[in-house]
Amino acid sequence: MEDQNRRYLAEGVPLVSVLSNRFKNSQGSQAKTAQSSSWHTDHTNQVLPPNYTSLYPVELPDRGGGTSLCNTRAAYEALPEDLKRKITGMKTVNLLAGSATKNRNPDTLEDQKNYKAPSPIHPLVRTHPVNGSKAVWFHPNKTENIVGMSPEESQEFLRDLTYTHLVKPEFTYVHQWKLGDMLIWDNRSALHKAGFDYDPNQHRMLYRTLVRGDKPF
Ligand SMILES: [Fe+2]
């Protein structure tokens, strides 16, 4: 994988990241490495974002802390035709941390200042290279802007698209973890998020691996 977050790799196994609610950022508050709490696809700041993400829990809270998935292929197919036409062809400019996002993790913002990698431009509607289906595809915290919109307008547009059209009950699934489970999903046609609806004094820790992707089109 290119450029995982190097702060949180499993010791001796650099292809595996550790997501834990016990990690602190440099300011001493909880580092949001227990997965992002907003709907997103992984690592759109990369030129070749990961095709697949897998999670395997090693410690779980008694209840809550599920991982939610949204089928953005089915959600795209169900969009009103005029909205489909409007968003097809839209492009997102991607950074480590977009300037108008709600992601105020000081470490990520610091990393962004020193970030030398390119800012890839990706399609908002992505075509699956294997089956040709189309899906809505973005990471709001890594989107600086949609080409032709300001960063603030872009955030509002993505938020409205997400909550009005994508994350309807018929397109979403919440996986409530049990030890021994493993989840793997196709990032090219799904968004996901972590639930923070659990006792923060309990430990939630998962191992994450990412599978190298191809260029979105
Ligand atoms: Fe994620």
Side-chain angles (χ1 to χ4, degrees), residues 19-30:
L19 311 179
S20 166
N21 64 332
R22 297 246 162 111
F23 290 143
K24 303 271 188 249
N25 62 31
S26 57
Q27 313 296 302
S29 53
Q30 188 191 356

Side-chain angles (χ1 to χ4, degrees), residues 38 93-105 109 112 139-146 149-159:
S38 53
V93 179
N94 292 266
L95 303 173
L96 205 55
S99 62
T101 71
K102 301 227 178 302
N103 182 355
R104 289 289 167 257
N105 180 340
L109 295 174
Q112 176 61 54
H139 190 323
N141 292 345
K142 295 190 183 301
T143 300
E144 175 58 14
N145 65 294
I146 294 170
M149 288 186 202
S150 72
E152 291 76 14
E153 284 169 337
S154 305
Q155 290 300 320
E156 198 180 318
F157 184 82
L158 293 177
R159 200 160 39 242

Side-chain angles (χ1 to χ4, degrees), residues 1-212:
M1 251 344 284
E2 36 176 329
D3 229 20
Q4 290 233 51
N5 188 336
R6 309 231 161 255
R7 293 179 201 277
Y8 307 108
L9 300 181
E11 211 180 319
V13 195
L15 288 174
V16 177
S17 307
V18 180
L19 311 179
S20 166
N21 64 332
R22 297 246 162 111
F23 290 143
K24 303 271 188 249
N25 62 31
S26 57
Q27 313 296 302
S29 53
Q30 188 191 356
K32 291 279 184 185
T33 56
Q35 296 179 264
S36 175
S37 58
S38 53
W39 289 98
H40 67 282
T41 185
D42 281 338
H43 290 39
T44 57
N45 57 303
Q46 298 180 349
V47 176
L48 306 175
N51 279 351
Y52 303 99
T53 296
S54 79
L55 292 179
Y56 179 81
V58 286
E59 283 204 58
L60 290 170
D62 294 337
R63 60 179 65 82
T67 295
S68 300
L69 290 153
C70 174
N71 179 341
T72 53
R73 175 181 51 74
Y76 171 80
E77 283 165 10
L79 289 177
E81 284 304 320
D82 58 335
L83 184 56
K84 256 189 211 170
R85 265 196 303 278
K86 181 175 174 183
I87 66 171
T88 301
M90 280 188 174
K91 307 251 184 248
T92 58
V93 179
N94 292 266
L95 303 173
L96 205 55
S99 62
T101 71
K102 301 227 178 302
N103 182 355
R104 289 289 167 257
N105 180 340
D107 292 346
T108 311
L109 295 174
E110 195 55 36
D111 287 348
Q112 176 61 54
K113 279 192 217 150
N114 305 315
Y115 199 57
K116 301 281 186 285
S119 312
I121 296 178
H122 292 311
L124 180 61
V125 176
R126 184 171 182 180
T127 305
H128 198 288
V130 177
N131 59 30
S133 63
K134 292 186 185 302
V136 188
W137 183 82
F138 60 93
H139 190 323
N141 292 345
K142 295 190 183 301
T143 300
E144 175 58 14
N145 65 294
I146 294 170
V147 172
M149 288 186 202
S150 72
E152 291 76 14
E153 284 169 337
S154 305
Q155 290 300 320
E156 198 180 318
F157 184 82
L158 293 177
R159 200 160 39 242
D160 184 56
L161 183 64
T162 302
Y163 291 103
T164 308
H165 295 286
L166 304 182
V167 295
K168 295 179 169 178
E170 60 268 39
F171 305 134
T172 53
Y173 165 71
V174 185
H175 189 74
Q176 298 293 354
W177 291 102
K178 293 190 299 298
L179 289 178
D181 290 350
M182 184 177 182
L183 211 57
I184 180 162
W185 63 83
D186 190 331
N187 280 313
R188 296 165 291 188
S189 48
L191 298 182
H192 62 276
K193 69 165 187 169
F196 282 84
D197 56 339
Y198 60 93
D199 177 354
N201 297 312
Q202 295 192 327
H203 195 193
R204 180 181 185 273
M205 181 168 120
L206 304 97
Y207 289 142
R208 182 186 71 182
T209 52
L210 301 168
V211 176
R212 187 188 297 277

